[in-house]
Amino acid sequence: MSDVENRCRLVLILPEGDDLPARAAMLEGALKGGDVASVILPQYGLDDSEFQKHAEALVKIVQDAGAAALVAGDTRVAGRAKADGIHVTGGLEAFAEAVEKFTPKLIVGGGNATDRHKALEIGEIQPDYIFFGKIGGDIKPEAHPKNVALAEWWASMVEIPCIVLGGTDPQSALAVAESGAEFVALDKAVFAEPAQAPHIVAAVNALLDEKAPRFGE
């Protein structure tokens, strides 16, 4: 594996579903494709007990592959599933509360930063990362230009790492990397055809190895 620490790295967002064996197999496959920094596991429409069951199985798969498992949803589920972190989807108050309660024991980050002002408000809370985009918001081939522009501005002046949601085309990862973002999050680009997921993860890593800018250069 190449030295990935000094370039933009891949974050996966697992799509929704209630078939746990299928989701587990899909995730295991994707993680075999190469470097993945972390996986965000959203709650979607699962009730808390079902989400708990999914989280426990999926967190272990992520951690066994050497990635960080970030649970989005019920913080109690994250704790009981022994996740590495919490991806906050609520507002500023919920975010501040999670940072205060769980840092530094768990990674705490999240989004809802739709403009510079909101991003700076989140930055003041000192999370471990900020997320530009919205889970489920990858509806076009390219990453949303507004999120890429926010990341470029953020990366040039704030030390807190950012994750930017890419588009449905795996190649969209490169535009995100060129913004200076530390991480690119892909969902549909990787998981639209689960059997292809390992190949797509490998291809995105190869693309970033070859063309992503290096930090500190």
Side-chain angles (χ1 to χ4, degrees), residues 11-167:
V11 170
L12 299 179
I13 301 173
L14 192 65
E16 64 185 313
D18 50 16
D19 182 341
L20 180 51
R23 295 181 91 204
M26 181 163 74
L27 182 57
E28 268 180 339
L31 289 165
K32 283 183 181 139
D35 178 66
V36 172
S38 57
V39 179
I40 298 172
L41 305 168
Q43 184 160 359
Y44 297 118
L46 297 173
D47 64 36
D48 286 352
S49 67
E50 198 60 19
F51 185 42
Q52 180 74 50
K53 199 166 79 175
H54 280 238
E56 282 172 10
L58 299 170
V59 162
K60 187 171 184 322
I61 291 168
V62 175
Q63 291 171 341
D64 285 350
L70 308 174
V71 166
D74 193 312
T75 55
R76 290 165 303 182
V77 169
R80 289 194 292 255
K82 297 186 170 53
D84 300 285
I86 293 159
H87 180 84
V88 181
T89 52
L92 208 58
E93 207 174 302
F95 210 152
E97 201 177 294
V99 168
E100 191 181 335
K101 196 170 172 186
F102 298 107
T103 306
K105 194 173 66 155
L106 296 176
I107 298 164
V108 181
N112 289 343
T114 48
D115 57 38
R116 290 184 177 193
H117 176 66
K118 284 184 182 148
L120 289 172
E121 282 186 331
I122 289 171
E124 282 172 17
I125 299 169
Q126 291 292 305
D128 293 298
Y129 67 85
I130 186 168
F131 184 88
F132 292 116
K134 187 180 178 190
I135 289 172
D138 51 338
I139 50 174
K140 291 187 173 174
E142 66 283 354
H144 197 298
K146 188 174 78 171
N147 294 328
V148 176
L150 277 169
E152 201 168 326
W153 160 76
W154 180 268
S156 69
M157 54 170 274
V158 184
E159 284 192 5
I160 296 165
C162 67
I163 302 176
V164 179
L165 181 68

